[in-house]
Amino acid sequence: GSYAWDSSSYCQRWQLYLSLAPLRSFEGHGADLLDMFRGSQYLVWYFRALGARIGKRVCLYPNGADPMMTEPELVTIQDGACIDEAALIAHLNTQGVFTLNRLHVGEQCVMRTFSRLQQSAVMEPRSMLGEHTLILPADRVQEGEWRQGWPAGPGYVIATPLRKGDLPALLTTGKEETNTVKVQQ
């Protein structure tokens, strides 16, 4: 919903959270304590503790991010997704009115470096955002679609949707296929 910046308790609490975030930094190095946990299950647990709904086998920020999730309580990330150095932004500040909406990242989605998903946007299962890609508020990336561009509306599709059977078995089942080739000598 919409919240006035100067009268909403949520906005004040959010500002307090952002003000305290530098305490996680190492003195003089500019590195965040969370950088030590990039790509690990510990980072997933941290954002779950802050209210994010995160599935199994999710990889968060293996190369870092600035900012990492700013409103984790509004973010849902389903099983097998990977969020690289990308931004999940669930707010919009327009002339002092702070608007918050949920974000949804579907099963086995990938957000590549410097991609950005904005408030109320949805990534359907197995979709991918290429590097330097912006998905505008309330936009929907269709299942299996790959998008590229700033902004990347429906006209910026770089790959057509995949069917579930088109993906390697490792991505769809979590089990590795064994393909053996016999070589005659």
Side-chain angles (χ1 to χ4, degrees), residues 118-184:
Q118 290 200 211
Q119 65 162 358
S120 68
V122 173
M123 288 182 71
E124 292 183 359
R126 293 174 296 284
S127 58
M128 197 243 344
L129 303 182
E131 289 84 354
H132 301 279
T133 298
L134 170 65
I135 300 300
L136 294 172
D139 198 1
R140 178 176 292 272
V141 181
Q142 299 299 319
E143 182 172 356
E145 200 172 69
W146 292 17
R147 288 210 195 162
Q148 177 74 51
W150 197 275
Y156 294 88
V157 176
I158 60 173
T160 56
L162 297 170
R163 295 181 313 274
K164 193 169 187 174
D166 291 342
L167 295 174
L170 181 60
L171 293 177
T172 57
T173 65
K175 296 178 183 174
E176 195 170 339
E177 275 187 352
T178 54
N179 293 327
T180 56
V181 177
K182 294 183 180 180
V183 178
Q184 294 182 352

Side-chain angles (χ1 to χ4, degrees), residues 29-162:
H29 296 287
D32 191 315
L33 179 64
L34 296 180
D35 286 339
M36 294 174 31
F37 303 110
R38 296 187 310 193
S40 75
Q41 185 64 33
Y42 295 110
L43 195 57
V44 170
W45 291 337
Y46 172 79
F47 283 112
R48 281 182 184 158
L50 291 176
R53 290 184 280 302
I54 302 174
K56 300 177 201 168
R57 300 180 325 275
V58 170
C59 182
L60 291 179
Y61 309 115
N63 294 307
D66 186 24
M68 288 190 186
M69 265 181 258
T70 55
E71 299 90 13
E73 70 279 8
L74 297 173
V75 175
T76 300
I77 303 172
Q78 292 187 319
D79 295 350
C82 181
I83 313 300
D84 196 357
E85 195 172 349
L88 294 165
I89 308 296
H91 71 272
L92 184 64
N93 186 1
T94 307
Q95 298 178 351
V97 177
F98 201 64
T99 307
L100 296 164
N101 286 302
R102 297 196 173 278
L103 288 175
H104 183 87
V105 178
E107 195 175 327
Q108 297 174 353
C109 288
V110 175
M111 291 179 68
R112 309 269 315 247
T113 303
F114 302 125
S115 60
R116 181 181 178 120
L117 194 65
Q118 290 200 211
Q119 65 162 358
S120 68
V122 173
M123 288 182 71
E124 292 183 359
R126 293 174 296 284
S127 58
M128 197 243 344
L129 303 182
E131 289 84 354
H132 301 279
T133 298
L134 170 65
I135 300 300
L136 294 172
D139 198 1
R140 178 176 292 272
V141 181
Q142 299 299 319
E143 182 172 356
E145 200 172 69
W146 292 17
R147 288 210 195 162
Q148 177 74 51
W150 197 275
Y156 294 88
V157 176
I158 60 173
T160 56
L162 297 170

Side-chain angles (χ1 to χ4, degrees), residues 3-12 14-15 18 93 95-98:
Y3 304 90
W5 183 252
D6 57 351
S7 62
S8 167
S9 67
Y10 180 87
C11 294
Q12 302 308 314
W14 185 73
Q15 190 60 44
L18 292 180
N93 186 1
Q95 298 178 351
V97 177
F98 201 64

